[in-house]
Every structure is written in C-alpha cells, then in structure tokens.
C-alpha cells in the first residue's frame, strides 16, 4: 500500500519517524489491524545510532520502488512479539528472520518440542499467513533479480532443514536457526556460495554499527 511505502521512508528520519509510527500504530490498532500496528511501533534499539540513517533511507526507498514479490527479500521482526529488539550482527540479534523469494515466504520455526518446522506461504498457499507476514515484517531487498530455479526443488531443500537441530543463537555445525536458514535459502536461490550470501546479507541488513 502507498501509505506503508511512505512510512518505510519516513521512519528513517529521527524523531519524526518515531512520532509518525506511534500515531500510525494507534490508527491501525483502532482499525483492528494488529500486524500493521505492530510494524508501526517496532524499534531496533540500534537505530538510535545516527550512522544508520543513510542505510535506512535506502531501504525505505527500495521498499517504495520495488515489488516485494520479485527477487529475494529478508523479513525481520522482533522476537517474542515484542516492540523492541537489538540487532548486533547476523546470528546475534533479537529478531526473527524469514526470506521471501519471488513471492513465496519461507521461514523456520519450532514446535512445542523445539523441533524445526518450515513454514511456506504465498498468495496461493496459506494466503492469510502470507498477507499477515507481509505486513508484520520489515523487508530488505537482498537481490532484485534471481537466476532461474526449480520451485519444487527449492521447496524440498527448505523442508530438508526439519531434520536438523535448532539453536537460537550462534547456530554452528549441524545446528540451525532462522538466520542460518535464510542465508542458505538465499545462497541456493541466487546460486552463490554460502560465504558470498553471508557477506551480501552483512552489507544489506542493518547492524549495530551501520
């Protein structure tokens, strides 16, 4: 929606963005749109670093000028449905990540037994979840155009992570968390190495320093 695209730019402006977000959150809460209301007031405490303003403006403009259903986008929202979180660096932050690849959202979650479950949604599959997540997450364009790939193979690859063990932070070796999952999904879709995927994400996704 046009207003959301404008907000994604405005929120990069100190004070003004926070004030607008607070009012916006109240308005959407009154309308019963909890996902959009949450997006309005969510704050990464690292955003208080003024060095991050240029990158935030770039992300806001990309959101306003690119189609979310084309290319690879990383979605972030605060853990445990809280309005505040702190991002230090990928693998060490208070955000849950997912990835949207050509209009399909892939995300790693866990069930009550802490076993990994991969959730997949789009405009044609689990539509309500897809529409909710498009609103609730903050989206960052990682790559605008992707090489051709087999969607069924990508889906099977995503589901293969259900065989691994979950670890929330610093998932190494055979352990997996949402950020490691997103990195590997991006690498496969873009047909690049995991190392290159990591470096690309590090440059694009906001962190404590920039």
């Amino acid at each position: 929606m046009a207003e959301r695209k404008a907000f994604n730019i405005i929120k990069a402006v100190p004070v003004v963005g926070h004030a607008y977000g607070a009012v916006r959150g109240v308005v959407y809460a009154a309308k019963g749109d909890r996902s959009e209301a949450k997006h309005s007031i969510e704050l990464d405490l690292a955003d208080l670093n003024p060095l991050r303003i240029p990158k935030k403006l770039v992300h806001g403009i990309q959101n306003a000028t690119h189609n979310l259903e084309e290319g690879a986008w990383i979605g972030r929202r605060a853990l445990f449905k809280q309005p505040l979180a702190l991002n230090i660096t990928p693998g060490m932050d208070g955000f849950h990540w997912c990835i949207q690849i050509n209009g399909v959202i892939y995300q790693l979650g866990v069930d009550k037994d802490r076993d990994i479950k991969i959730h997949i949604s789009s405009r044609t599959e689990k539509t309500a979840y897809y529409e909710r997540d498009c609103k609730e997450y903050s989206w960052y364009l990682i790559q605008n155009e992707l090489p051709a790939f087999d969607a069924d193979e990508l889906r099977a690859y995503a589901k293969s992570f259900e065989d691994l063990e979950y670890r929330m932070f610093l998932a190494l070796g055979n352990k997996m968390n949402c950020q490691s999952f997103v990195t590997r999904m991006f690498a496969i879709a873009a047909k690049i190495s995991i190392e290159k995927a990591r470096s690309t994400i590090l440059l694009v996704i906001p962190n404590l320093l920039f």
Side-chain angles (χ1 to χ4, degrees):
M1 73 182 82
E3 187 278 331
R4 180 187 172 103
K5 291 182 177 181
F7 171 61
N8 285 332
I9 298 175
I10 294 170
K11 71 179 182 180
V13 181
V15 182
V16 175
H18 297 150
Y20 183 88
V23 174
R24 185 178 189 271
V26 170
V27 171
Y28 277 102
K31 292 180 178 180
D33 192 335
R34 298 175 61 184
S35 295
E36 201 67 61
K38 181 178 181 296
H39 175 70
S40 301
I41 62 173
E42 186 172 275
L43 173 65
D44 182 351
L45 294 175
D47 283 343
L48 300 176
N49 178 359
L51 295 177
R52 291 179 58 158
I53 294 174
K55 180 180 279 190
K56 288 182 64 181
L57 283 170
V58 169
H59 290 317
I61 293 170
Q62 286 178 332
N63 270 275
T65 57
H66 290 77
N67 186 346
L68 184 59
E69 296 180 36
E70 296 178 357
W73 297 73
I74 289 179
R76 296 166 69 240
R77 63 167 172 77
L79 289 172
F80 313 121
K81 299 183 178 180
Q82 299 300 311
L84 301 176
L86 175 63
N87 177 16
I88 300 173
T89 188
M92 294 183 64
D93 68 19
F95 288 86
H96 174 63
W97 290 20
C98 68
I99 186 166
Q100 183 160 187
I101 300 172
N102 287 349
V104 179
I105 295 177
Y106 303 85
Q107 59 182 310
L108 181 149
V110 293
D111 61 17
K112 60 182 178 62
D113 297 318
R114 306 294 289 175
D115 292 327
I116 291 176
K117 297 297 178 185
I118 302 301
H119 305 285
I120 302 174
S121 62
S122 67
R123 289 199 180 277
T124 58
E125 179 181 3
K126 297 183 178 178
T127 306
Y129 290 101
Y130 176 79
E131 293 177 349
R132 178 202 64 192
D133 290 342
C134 282
K135 291 181 179 181
E136 197 166 282
Y137 284 83
S138 294
W139 294 97
Y140 300 84
L141 180 63
I142 301 299
Q143 187 165 316
N144 189 33
E145 295 183 2
L146 295 169
F149 60 84
D150 188 300
D152 291 333
E153 289 183 2
L154 187 64
R155 183 187 186 93
Y157 178 72
K159 286 291 188 179
S160 71
F161 287 90
E162 294 184 338
D163 297 328
L164 301 182
E165 182 180 340
Y166 177 74
R167 177 172 292 174
M168 180 175 288
F169 296 110
L170 295 176
L172 302 173
N174 207 35
K175 309 297 190 299
M176 190 59 50
N177 62 19
C178 60
Q179 294 160 18
S180 297
F181 169 73
V182 163
T183 301
R184 284 160 175 75
M185 289 295 293
F186 172 51
I188 290 295
K191 297 184 178 179
I192 58 177
S193 68
I194 292 177
E195 289 72 22
K196 185 173 182 179
R198 286 186 182 128
S199 62
T200 300
I201 290 171
L202 182 62
L203 290 173
V204 174
I205 297 298
N207 56 61
L208 187 61
L209 298 178
F210 64 92

